[in-house]
Amino acid sequence: ENKTLPFEAIGEGTLHRLVDAFYHRVGMHPDLAPIFPDDLTETARKQKQFLTQYLGGPPLYTNEHGHPMLRARHLPFEITPVRATAWLACMAEAMDEVGLDGPVREDFYARLYLTAQHMINTPDDET
Ligand code: HEM
């Protein structure tokens, strides 16, 4: 058996373009921009590292920052269902923009959907 890693199927160049296209949208989104830093350079750099390892590539995030503990790292921010939906919409649009499609996109998006639900820590009516 010779299974290609999602990271290899997508490729580093496309992954980096995806993350840049994603944060461009996040920075303009009325529900998301208020909880993100104005300068998203460092956020995008960390997300490139994280998604590389999430997709089976080298553990770039863990090597520099330690265990991701993603839910704990999101607790300082009010992650509502509305914000999770907005996050996923920005990601789907970014996938369209960079031309990521087919089964590799569907599998990646399905995992992101579940991870996004796991990040929710605040009900919509508290914001
Ligand atoms: C960091 C929001 C979902 C991965 C952050 C930050 C915010 C945020 C505000 C801090 C940015 C900064 O200070 O630079 C959200 C919202 C989500 C969401 C509203 C909606 C559900 C996700 C998902 C993933 C993810 C699904 C992974 C698949 C990360 C990573 C960081 C991060 C890797 C950097 C952590 C660090 O500081 O080392 N997110 N996030 N996030 N997020 Fe999310």
Side-chain angles (χ1 to χ4, degrees):
E1 193 176 353
N2 185 12
K3 280 210 152 190
T4 305
L5 296 168
F7 175 70
E8 292 166 353
I10 293 168
E12 183 181 68
T14 297
L15 182 63
H16 286 196
R17 284 191 291 279
L18 174 71
V19 170
D20 290 335
F22 170 71
Y23 283 111
H24 180 71
R25 284 175 166 74
V26 166
M28 298 192 304
H29 197 293
D31 294 325
L32 296 175
I35 63 166
F36 279 86
D38 290 337
D39 183 350
L40 290 166
T41 311
E42 180 63 10
T43 312
R45 191 181 75 84
K46 288 178 177 172
Q47 189 65 276
K48 286 169 187 168
Q49 294 176 320
F50 178 78
L51 291 178
T52 295
Q53 72 184 57
Y54 187 79
L55 294 167
L60 303 180
Y61 182 90
T62 296
N63 286 348
E64 185 172 330
H65 312 287
H67 191 289
M69 302 182 300
L70 269 196
R71 193 168 195 284
R73 290 191 203 262
H74 285 76
L75 286 178
F77 311 102
E78 290 182 330
I79 314 290
T80 59
V82 159
R83 288 195 173 120
T85 299
W87 192 104
L88 289 163
C90 289
M91 184 58 76
E93 290 173 16
M95 286 174 168
D96 289 343
E97 181 178 326
V98 304
L100 186 61
D101 58 18
V104 77
R105 174 192 175 137
E106 299 312 321
D107 291 352
F108 186 15
Y109 185 85
R111 288 187 63 200
L112 291 172
Y113 179 88
L114 294 175
T115 304
Q117 306 314 305
H118 184 61
M119 293 306 135
I120 295 170
N121 56 31
T122 305
D124 280 324
D125 57 15
E126 283 189 21
T127 58

